[in-house]
Structures are given as structure tokens and as C-alpha cells.
């Protein structure tokens, strides 16, 4: 008889504990499911935000690239430019004609603001012309670029070559930023007159500064030249990371949009230029949404642990205060 009462008491406690465990399990499952859905929503929002920023970057970059192309085409049809391309020295040229060329180029300066500027360089006679003045590359550098902090040798190495395709380069300034140099040859045919390069110097970092979503101290953007297999970034980037981005971009098809969460908490997105065989990449690191996802996961894990601890304490308390006294009474009887 007493044995039956013991079993009955044990079954009652087991059923009560089991129901408590089931309720706890369901609560934990609901918390985990809600956290997972919220995490997915944050991640989708992050992808959307990154995609919007990527399209804005493409819009601003391609506007500058389009302006460079227009500047290049107009310079290519300029009679003075055609004549100067055949010369080997500008010392014998009429200063009035060179001054007129400066004025003509000034009229073609259709770029907005001080973020970028256009120049025309004739490698055969080392003549650099802008919408303000003209001179050989060394004197021009001393007047216009010496304050930036990059060396003349680096500048000359970039502008002086005979290019056949559009090029991108980066020059580091003394304040730790970098200037992006876009170069487009007036023509790419060996049958044409001697070379001349249209040059744009721009601060791509201003795109980051103007963005409401990107943080210039954390995030980065770069231009990937598919033709020449070169990558230029706004902020310094580790060589391993640079090679990985270049490799992935070259593996994809031009125009293919990609978003990946593969490098820590970074989001890497590519979009193709409308005018050149280039990709623009936006790299967001430790963005607020990613931090929210991480914090959410930690919070959910803490809640689950606390819930399990409370459940264990409740079951233990019930066992000590109710089950064991009843069990002892049954044993005594």
C-alpha cells in the first residue's frame, strides 16, 4: 500500500517537473525563433542598406568618369591639342596659343566642386595643362601638388606613360588619405598621333564622408580595374585582403551583383561601372546592424541560460520544500 503511494507521489512530482520542462523548452524555442527572425531581418536590412550605398557610389563615381570621358573627347577634337601632340618641345610654341588652350580647357571644366580636377598631359614634350595654367610636369607639380605630400617621382611615374586603356592609380597624401588618379588616353590606337593623356585627380574619400551610412574610420571602398587587374582603395588595405577582393571580382561576370558576409563582420558588395571595365566595391566593417546582430545573439544566449537556471532552481526548490518532505512522511508511515 505504502509502495503504491510512493509511486503515486513520484509520478505526481515527475509529471509536474516534466510539464515545467516542456513549458521552459517551448519558451526557449520561441525566444530563439524570434531572435533568429529578428537577426535575419537585421541582416536583410544591412544588405539593403549596403546595396543602396553601392548604387550611390556607382552614381557618383560614374558621373566623374563620364565627365572625364567628355573632357577627353573634346580635347581630342581640339585643333591645338592635335598640333601639340606632334611636337617634342613646347619651348618654341607660342605662349599666346598655350594660354588660349588653357582658356579652352577651362571652358570644358564641367566638374562640380573641388573634389576633382582635370588635366591634359603630353608625354613627348612633358607639357601639363589645366584650366588654370600650363608648364612642364616638374614646375606644375611644385605649384599645384607639392602640398599634398606625394613625391614628384610617384606623380611622374603615373602620368608619363603611353597608355592604351583607362587606368586608375592611388597617391598617398601627407595627412594619411589618398588621392585617386584616373587616366584616359585620348586614343588607344598606335596609328594615331603621339600620346596625350586626360587626367582626373579626385578624392574618392569624399564619397565616404558624404554618406549617412558609411563611417570613414571603419569602412572602405575601392575601384577594381578588370582590364589591368589592379585595385585602388580609399583607405589602406592589407595585401591579403586586397588580393582576395581582386580575385573574387575577376571570378565574377561584369555586372554581376554580389553581397557576402565572409570577412569577419564585413559586408563586401560589387557593382560594375557603366563606362569602364571597372568594378566599384563597398566594404563595410563592424556596421551598426552587424553589431546589433552580435549583441542580440549574446542577449538571447544569456536569456536562455537564465531561464534554464531559474527552471532548475524552481524544480530544485519544489523538490526540497514539497517532494522530499512528502516522501519522508510516506517513508515514516
Amino acid at each position: 500500500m505504502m509502495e503504491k503511494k510512493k509511486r503515486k507521489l513520484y509520478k505526481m512530482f515527475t509529471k509536474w517537473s516534466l510539464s515545467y520542462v516542456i513549458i521552459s523548452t517551448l519558451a526557449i524555442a520561441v525566444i530563439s525563433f524570434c531572435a533568429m527572425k529578428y537577426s535575419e531581418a537585421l541582416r536583410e536590412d544591412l544588405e539593403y542598406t549596403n546595396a543602396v550605398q553601392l548604387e550611390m557610389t556607382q552614381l557618383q563615381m560614374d558621373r566623374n568618369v563620364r565627365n572625364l570621358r567628355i573632357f577627353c573627347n573634346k580635347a581630342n577634337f581640339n585643333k591645338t591639342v592635335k598640333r601639340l601632340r606632334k611636337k617634342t618641345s613646347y619651348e618654341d610654341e607660342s605662349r599666346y596659343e598655350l594660354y588660349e588652350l588653357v582658356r579652352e580647357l577651362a571652358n570644358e571644366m564641367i566638374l562640380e566642386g573641388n573634389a576633382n580636377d582635370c588635366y591634359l598631359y603630353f608625354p613627348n614634350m612633358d607639357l601639363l595643362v589645366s584650366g588654370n595654367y600650363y608648364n612642364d610636369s616638374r614646375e606644375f607639380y611644385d605649384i599645384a601638388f607639392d602640398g599634398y605630400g606625394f613625391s614628384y617621382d610617384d606623380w611622374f611615374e603615373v602620368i608619363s606613360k603611353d597608355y592604351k586603356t583607362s587606368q586608375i592609380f592611388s597617391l598617398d597624401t601627407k595627412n594619411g588619405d589618398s588621392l585617386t588618379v584616373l587616366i584616359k588616353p585620348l586614343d588607344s590606337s598606335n596609328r594615331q598621333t603621339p600620346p596625350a593623356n586626360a587626367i582626373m585627380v579626385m578624392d574618392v574619400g569624399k564619397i565616404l564622408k558624404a554618406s549617412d551610412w558609411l563611417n570613414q574610420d571603419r569602412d572602405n571602398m575601392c575601384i577594381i580595374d578588370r582590364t589591368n587587374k589592379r585595385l585602388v582603395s580609399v583607405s589602406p588595405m592589407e595585401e591579403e585582403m586586397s588580393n582576395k577582393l581582386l580575385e573574387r571580382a575577376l571570378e565574377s561576370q561584369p555586372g554581376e551583383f554580389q553581397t557576402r558576409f565572409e570577412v569577419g563582420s564585413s559586408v563586401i558588395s560589387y557593382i560594375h561601372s557603366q563606362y569602364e571595365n571597372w568594378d566599384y566595391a563597398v566594404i563595410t566593417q563592424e556596421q551598426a546592424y552587424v553589431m546589433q546582430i552580435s549583441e542580440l545573439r549574446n542577449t538571447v544566449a544569456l536569456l536562455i541560460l537564465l531561464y534554464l537556471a531559474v527552471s532548475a532552481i524552481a524544480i530544485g526548490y519544489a523538490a526540497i520544500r514539497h517532494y522530499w518532505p512528502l516522501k519522508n512522511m510516506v517513508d515514516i508511515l
Side-chain angles (χ1 to χ4, degrees):
M1 188 72 178
M2 299 304 295
E3 217 34 61
K4 289 182 178 180
K5 289 184 178 181
K6 283 184 179 181
R7 287 197 297 270
K8 187 176 181 181
L9 182 64
Y10 178 75
K11 287 181 180 178
M12 181 183 68
F13 179 75
T14 302
K15 289 180 179 179
W16 179 85
S17 301
L18 182 62
S19 63
Y20 203 93
V21 170
I22 292 173
I23 293 173
S24 301
T25 303
L26 290 176
I28 292 173
V30 170
I31 293 173
S32 301
F33 178 77
C34 292
M36 180 184 67
K37 289 299 182 181
Y38 184 61
S39 177
E40 290 177 357
L42 287 176
R43 195 172 292 277
E44 289 175 359
D45 195 13
L46 174 60
E47 291 185 14
Y48 172 76
T49 300
N50 192 262
V52 171
Q53 178 58 46
L54 188 66
E55 292 185 1
M56 290 179 61
T57 300
Q58 181 198 39
L59 179 65
Q60 295 177 74
M61 282 298 305
D62 273 348
R63 180 181 60 188
N64 293 330
V65 174
R66 182 191 65 229
N67 288 340
L68 177 63
R69 290 167 67 94
I70 293 173
F71 175 80
C72 181
N73 291 336
K74 289 185 176 181
N76 196 28
F77 287 103
N78 185 283
K79 294 181 179 179
T80 304
V81 171
K82 288 183 178 181
R83 186 175 59 80
L84 289 175
R85 292 176 69 177
K86 300 176 183 179
K87 304 294 183 178
T88 57
S89 174
Y90 76 91
E91 293 295 338
D92 298 330
E93 295 299 315
S94 167
R95 294 300 185 260
Y96 176 78
E97 286 194 16
L98 292 176
Y99 174 70
E100 282 296 311
L101 177 59
V102 169
R103 292 184 57 185
E104 290 171 6
L105 293 182
N107 293 332
E108 304 301 339
M109 291 297 177
I110 56 178
L111 307 181
E112 300 86 359
N114 297 321
N116 30 50
D117 207 354
C118 275
Y119 308 89
L120 191 61
Y121 183 66
F122 301 87
N124 281 3
M125 55 179 174
D126 193 30
L127 173 64
L128 190 58
V129 184
S130 73
N132 298 313
Y133 38 78
Y134 68 89
N135 216 316
D136 63 77
S137 61
R138 179 74 219 198
E139 293 293 333
F140 202 107
Y141 167 84
D142 291 338
I143 295 172
F145 299 115
D146 185 54
Y148 285 108
F150 54 81
S151 69
Y152 167 74
D153 292 336
D154 291 339
W155 167 249
F156 185 75
E157 176 71 16
V158 165
I159 68 172
S160 61
K161 294 182 180 178
D162 181 5
Y163 297 112
K164 299 302 178 185
T165 60
S166 298
Q167 307 283 326
I168 53 172
F169 299 94
S170 179
L171 294 173
D172 296 329
T173 62
K174 60 183 178 183
N175 59 2
D177 297 329
S178 63
L179 292 176
T180 300
V181 182
L182 310 182
I183 298 181
K184 185 171 181 60
L186 265 58
D187 59 65
S188 57
S189 173
N190 290 325
R191 295 175 298 177
Q192 299 295 326
T193 51
N197 297 324
I199 303 168
M200 176 186 288
V201 179
M202 59 183 299
D203 183 1
V204 181
K206 289 185 178 292
I207 297 177
L208 292 180
K209 295 176 183 177
S211 172
D212 294 331
W213 290 301
L214 296 181
N215 186 316
Q216 194 178 23
D217 295 331
R218 295 194 310 250
D219 304 326
N220 200 354
M221 66 166 291
C222 58
I223 308 173
I224 301 170
D225 184 352
R226 288 175 170 269
T227 303
N228 299 290
K229 297 179 174 58
R230 183 186 297 121
L231 181 147
V232 170
S233 64
V234 173
S235 302
M237 184 184 299
E238 294 181 359
E239 185 176 357
E240 181 180 357
M241 178 66 145
S242 176
N243 293 335
K244 186 180 296 185
L245 288 178
L246 183 60
E247 180 181 353
R248 288 179 180 174
L250 294 177
E251 287 176 353
S252 64
Q253 295 298 320
E256 179 182 345
F257 179 81
Q258 300 181 356
T259 302
R260 286 188 169 89
F261 293 83
E262 293 187 358
V263 186
S265 59
S266 300
V267 180
I268 304 170
S269 302
Y270 304 89
I271 197 167
H272 198 64
S273 170
Q274 296 180 354
Y275 299 102
E276 299 290 348
N277 192 25
W278 297 346
D279 284 334
Y280 307 127
V282 172
I283 308 160
T284 54
Q285 300 180 11
E286 299 178 357
Q287 200 170 19
Y289 292 114
V290 179
M291 294 298 293
Q292 287 183 30
I293 293 172
S294 177
E295 291 173 0
L296 176 64
R297 287 174 177 171
N298 294 335
T299 302
V300 170
L302 180 61
L303 286 175
I304 291 174
L305 291 176
L306 288 175
Y307 204 100
L308 290 174
V310 171
S311 300
I313 292 171
I315 294 174
Y317 178 81
I320 294 172
R321 293 297 300 271
H322 301 289
Y323 174 71
W324 290 113
L326 291 174
K327 182 178 181 297
N328 290 334
M329 291 175 60
V330 172
D331 290 342
I332 292 172
L333 294 173

Coordinates of all heavy atoms in Angstrom, one line a residue, residues 4-5 15 31 44 62 83 130 139 168 202 215 218 224 232 235 253 274-275 280 296 310 326 328-329:
K4 N 2.6 1.8 -3.2 CA 1.8 2.5 -4.3 C 1.7 4.0 -4.1 O 1.8 4.8 -5.0 CB 0.4 1.9 -4.2 CG 0.3 0.5 -4.7 CD -1.2 0.0 -4.7 CE -1.3 -1.4 -5.2 NZ -2.7 -1.9 -5.2
K5 N 1.7 4.4 -2.8 CA 1.6 5.8 -2.5 C 2.9 6.5 -2.9 O 3.0 7.6 -3.4 CB 1.3 6.0 -1.0 CG -0.1 5.7 -0.6 CD -0.3 6.0 0.8 CE -1.8 5.7 1.2 NZ -2.1 6.0 2.6
K15 N 5.5 14.3 -13.2 CA 4.6 15.0 -14.2 C 4.7 16.5 -14.0 O 4.7 17.2 -15.0 CB 3.2 14.5 -14.0 CG 2.9 13.1 -14.4 CD 1.4 12.7 -14.1 CE 1.2 11.3 -14.6 NZ -0.2 10.9 -14.3
I31 N 11.8 32.1 -27.9 CA 12.8 33.1 -27.8 C 13.8 33.0 -28.9 O 14.2 33.9 -29.6 CB 13.5 33.1 -26.4 CG1 12.5 33.5 -25.3 CG2 14.7 34.1 -26.4 CD1 13.0 33.4 -23.9
E44 N 19.0 41.4 -43.6 CA 18.4 41.8 -44.8 C 18.5 43.3 -44.9 O 18.7 43.9 -46.0 CB 17.0 41.3 -44.9 CG 16.9 39.8 -45.1 CD 15.5 39.3 -45.1 OE1 14.6 40.2 -44.9 OE2 15.2 38.1 -45.3
D62 N 30.6 57.2 -61.5 CA 30.4 57.2 -62.9 C 30.1 58.6 -63.5 O 30.4 58.9 -64.6 CB 29.2 56.2 -63.3 CG 29.6 54.8 -63.5 OD1 30.9 54.6 -63.6 OD2 28.8 53.9 -63.6
R83 N 47.8 69.5 -82.8 CA 49.1 70.0 -83.3 C 50.2 69.8 -82.2 O 51.3 69.4 -82.6 CB 48.9 71.5 -83.6 CG 50.2 72.1 -84.2 CD 50.0 73.5 -84.6 NE 49.6 74.4 -83.5 CZ 50.5 74.8 -82.6 NH1 51.8 74.6 -82.8 NH2 50.1 75.6 -81.6
S130 N 46.2 72.6 -67.5 CA 44.9 72.5 -66.8 C 44.1 73.7 -67.2 O 44.4 74.5 -68.2 CB 45.1 72.5 -65.3 OG 45.5 73.8 -64.9
E139 N 57.5 71.8 -62.8 CA 57.1 73.1 -62.3 C 55.6 73.0 -61.9 O 55.2 73.6 -61.0 CB 57.3 74.1 -63.4 CG 58.8 74.4 -63.7 CD 59.5 75.1 -62.5 OE1 58.8 75.7 -61.7 OE2 60.7 74.9 -62.4
I168 N 43.7 53.4 -63.4 CA 43.4 54.0 -62.1 C 44.7 53.8 -61.2 O 45.4 52.8 -61.3 CB 42.2 53.3 -61.4 CG1 42.4 51.8 -61.3 CG2 40.9 53.7 -62.0 CD1 41.4 51.1 -60.5
M202 N 41.0 63.0 -58.1 CA 39.8 63.1 -57.2 C 40.0 62.5 -55.9 O 40.9 61.6 -55.7 CB 38.7 62.5 -57.9 CG 38.8 61.0 -58.3 SD 37.4 60.3 -59.2 CE 36.1 60.6 -58.0
N215 N 30.9 54.9 -42.4 CA 31.8 55.5 -41.4 C 33.2 55.4 -42.0 O 33.8 54.4 -42.2 CB 31.8 54.8 -40.1 CG 32.6 55.5 -39.0 OD1 33.7 56.0 -39.2 ND2 32.0 55.6 -37.8
R218 N 35.9 53.3 -40.3 CA 35.8 51.9 -40.3 C 35.7 51.3 -41.7 O 36.2 50.2 -42.0 CB 34.6 51.4 -39.5 CG 34.6 51.7 -38.0 CD 33.5 51.0 -37.3 NE 32.2 51.1 -38.0 CZ 31.2 51.8 -37.5 NH1 31.3 52.4 -36.3 NH2 30.0 51.9 -38.2
I224 N 38.1 48.5 -58.8 CA 38.8 47.3 -59.3 C 38.9 47.4 -60.8 O 37.8 47.4 -61.5 CB 38.1 46.0 -58.9 CG1 38.0 46.0 -57.4 CG2 38.8 44.8 -59.5 CD1 37.1 44.9 -56.9
V232 N 42.5 49.8 -56.4 CA 42.8 51.0 -55.7 C 41.8 51.3 -54.7 O 40.6 51.3 -54.9 CB 42.9 52.2 -56.7 CG1 43.0 53.5 -55.9 CG2 44.0 52.1 -57.7
S235 N 41.1 53.8 -48.4 CA 41.9 53.7 -47.1 C 42.9 52.5 -47.3 O 42.7 51.6 -48.1 CB 40.9 53.4 -46.0 OG 40.0 54.4 -45.8
Q253 N 31.2 37.7 -63.2 CA 30.9 38.3 -64.5 C 30.7 39.8 -64.3 O 30.1 40.2 -63.3 CB 29.7 37.6 -65.1 CG 29.9 36.2 -65.5 CD 31.0 35.9 -66.5 OE1 31.1 36.7 -67.4 NE2 31.8 34.9 -66.3
Q274 N 29.3 51.8 -65.5 CA 28.6 51.9 -66.7 C 29.5 52.3 -67.9 O 29.1 52.2 -69.1 CB 27.4 52.9 -66.6 CG 26.4 52.5 -65.6 CD 25.3 53.5 -65.4 OE1 25.3 54.6 -66.0 NE2 24.3 53.2 -64.7
Y275 N 30.7 52.8 -67.6 CA 31.5 53.4 -68.7 C 32.8 52.7 -68.9 O 33.4 52.8 -70.0 CB 31.8 54.9 -68.4 CG 30.5 55.7 -68.3 CD1 30.0 56.1 -67.0 CD2 29.8 56.1 -69.4 CE1 28.8 56.9 -67.0 CE2 28.7 56.9 -69.4 CZ 28.2 57.2 -68.1 OH 27.0 58.0 -68.1
Y280 N 33.1 48.8 -58.8 CA 33.2 49.6 -57.5 C 32.8 48.7 -56.4 O 31.8 48.0 -56.5 CB 32.3 50.8 -57.6 CG 32.5 51.7 -58.8 CD1 31.4 52.0 -59.6 CD2 33.7 52.2 -59.1 CE1 31.6 52.8 -60.7 CE2 33.9 53.0 -60.2 CZ 32.8 53.3 -61.0 OH 33.0 54.1 -62.1
L296 N 22.4 40.9 -30.1 CA 21.2 40.1 -30.0 C 21.5 38.6 -29.7 O 20.9 38.0 -28.8 CB 20.4 40.2 -31.3 CG 19.1 39.4 -31.3 CD1 18.1 39.9 -30.3 CD2 18.5 39.5 -32.7
V310 N 16.7 29.5 -13.8 CA 15.5 29.7 -13.0 C 14.7 28.4 -13.0 O 14.1 28.0 -11.9 CB 14.7 30.8 -13.6 CG1 13.3 30.9 -13.0 CG2 15.5 32.2 -13.4
L326 N 7.2 15.3 1.7 CA 6.1 14.3 1.5 C 6.7 12.9 1.4 O 6.1 11.9 1.9 CB 5.3 14.7 0.2 CG 4.5 15.9 0.3 CD1 3.9 16.2 -1.0 CD2 3.4 15.7 1.4
N328 N 9.4 11.8 2.7 CA 9.9 11.3 4.0 C 8.7 10.9 4.9 O 8.8 9.9 5.7 CB 10.7 12.5 4.7 CG 12.0 12.7 4.0 OD1 12.6 11.8 3.4 ND2 12.5 13.9 4.2
M329 N 7.6 11.7 4.8 CA 6.4 11.3 5.6 C 5.9 10.0 5.2 O 5.5 9.1 6.0 CB 5.3 12.4 5.4 CG 5.7 13.7 6.1 SD 4.4 15.0 5.7 CE 3.0 14.2 6.4

